[in-house]
Amino acid sequence: MSEKKNLSKIARSFGSASESYDISARLQRYSGKNLMPWLPNRNDLTVVDLGSGTGFFTEILATRYHQVIGLDISTQMLNFAKQNRSNEIVWLEADAYKLPFADRSIDLIYSNLMIQWCEALPVLKAEIIRVLKPGGLFIFSTLVDGTLFELKSSWAQVDDDKHVIDFKTPEELESIFNSDDSKLIESSSKDLILEYENVLHLAKELKGLGANQVPKKQSRGLAGKDKWQKMMQSYQDFIEPSGIYPATYSVFSGLMVKLND
Ligand SMILES: C[S@@+](CC[C@H](N)C(=O)[O-])C[C@H]1O[C@@H](n2cnc3c(N)ncnc32)[C@H](O)[C@@H]1O
């Protein structure tokens, strides 16, 4: 499937989640707040929230900074944000791979749980470097390898299809963000285990987060009912004594600075 088709599939997936998203955003809230201590204290900055979703963190950024832009690929997410957030924020519908900004025009890019959907991460990083001013910051969180391993391994008992996206390793991220033109000055990794009543509850939350699509999944359409039953059966291996279904999210957070050329 072409990169363009992948992007529109992701955009539709997130779009359909915009109304329910704020209700099921436990993970986003945690990881977005975790980035706050890295935010610079001066307020005269031009800031972009990359993959702004419903604008929950864009609004927090707007209380701290002079000019804040929320950018997202999903029309529906942006419509939700426009209706529910401060009207001082500028909203832009754009693809993170092709940022509608001049070279060296942005002081800070904040991005909470978006870049895991960008398969061509070095291309995205080059675009971030292009628009950041020298000394500009990229403060981000993303999901890394280990995320949803329970779900991955349960599906692996059923078929060879890819049902969960491939997440990068922390080492891969470090090598992308530490290079000639940038330095990863802070980073941290943490596993979060969220609890679910059952696998359908998990699937519903993943849908609510817009995270239910696998861009290069082999077979089309929904997995058959039988396959789902088998997968749910396998997931029971992970059930806790209390009867709760766990799902692991490995969150990587980073603070990258663009070096002077
Ligand atoms: C998991 S949500 C996180 C939203 C927000 N950062 C938050 O913390 O509430 C990811 C967002 O990234 C957006 N997104 C995914 N791929 C994108 C791309 N290539 N360019 C711009 N936005 C993208 C989705 O539409 C979605 O709103």
Side-chain angles (χ1 to χ4, degrees):
M1 196 189 282
S2 71
E3 189 65 31
K4 200 171 170 197
K5 276 189 184 158
N6 278 345
L7 282 178
S8 71
K9 196 170 177 187
I10 290 168
R12 275 203 308 278
S13 166
F14 279 107
S16 63
S18 59
E19 296 295 329
S20 60
Y21 179 87
D22 266 9
I23 302 159
S24 61
R26 306 185 270 178
L27 176 67
Q28 268 78 354
R29 293 289 184 272
Y30 167 84
S31 61
K33 281 187 187 145
N34 210 29
L35 298 176
M36 295 289 153
W38 289 338
L39 290 175
N41 278 327
R42 47 185 290 195
N43 60 10
D44 57 340
L45 303 179
T46 300
V47 177
V48 175
D49 184 4
L50 192 63
S52 48
T54 61
F56 180 85
F57 287 106
T58 329
E59 187 147 79
I60 295 174
L61 293 169
T63 62
R64 298 177 62 138
Y65 298 112
H66 164 68
Q67 189 183 16
V68 174
I69 300 155
L71 181 148
D72 205 282
I73 202 168
S74 156
T75 314
Q76 281 167 272
M77 281 290 183
L78 287 162
N79 285 343
F80 181 95
K82 282 177 200 162
Q83 281 160 21
N84 291 280
R85 308 299 177 198
S86 157
N87 53 19
E88 285 176 13
I89 300 167
V90 174
W91 300 103
L92 289 179
E93 184 172 337
D95 176 7
Y97 287 113
K98 292 183 202 113
L99 295 174
F101 307 121
D103 296 0
R104 303 157 163 240
S105 58
I106 307 294
D107 295 291
L108 165 66
I109 299 178
Y110 170 97
S111 184
N112 184 38
L113 292 183
M114 189 285 278
I115 67 171
Q116 67 275 6
W117 312 113
C118 297
E119 275 186 84
L121 198 50
V123 178
L124 176 71
K125 192 250 174 167
E127 186 62 351
I128 288 169
I129 290 291
R130 180 185 71 74
V131 302
L132 278 179
K133 294 177 186 172
L137 300 176
F138 179 49
I139 296 180
F140 67 96
S141 69
T142 186
L143 297 173
V144 288
D145 193 33
T147 296
L148 297 174
F149 79 86
E150 301 90 346
L151 186 61
K152 247 185 190 177
S153 105
S154 303
W155 271 120
Q157 309 285 323
V158 178
D159 61 27
D160 294 333
D161 260 13
K162 201 201 273 186
H163 296 274
V164 180
I165 60 173
D166 283 330
F167 298 99
K168 297 220 165 11
T169 63
E171 293 71 28
E172 282 172 313
L173 291 177
E174 277 157 19
S175 79
I176 292 170
F177 291 109
N178 269 324
S179 65
D180 290 351
D181 51 17
S182 65
K183 190 169 167 44
L184 193 62
I185 48 182
E186 299 269 5
S187 66
S188 68
S189 291
K190 190 173 163 73
D191 277 0
L192 275 178
I193 298 171
L194 297 190
E195 298 184 328
Y196 297 88
E197 287 158 35
N198 49 48
V199 182
L200 285 176
H201 180 203
L202 166 64
K204 211 171 157 196
E205 184 162 81
L206 291 179
K207 190 164 191 289
L209 300 176
N212 56 323
Q213 292 284 4
V214 177
K216 283 182 181 156
K217 191 163 166 250
Q218 293 303 305
S219 58
R220 304 209 142 259
L222 290 172
K225 214 174 167 188
D226 288 356
K227 288 188 171 189
W228 264 87
Q229 293 292 353
K230 268 193 199 163
M231 183 275 283
M232 291 198 277
Q233 195 82 30
S234 304
Y235 210 106
Q236 291 189 0
D237 292 348
F238 299 101
I239 296 181
E240 291 166 2
S242 57
I244 287 294
Y245 287 69
T248 302
Y249 297 86
S250 303
V251 181
F252 182 95
S253 309
L255 166 58
M256 183 208 85
V257 62
K258 173 177 171 177
L259 301 175
N260 294 332
D261 352 70

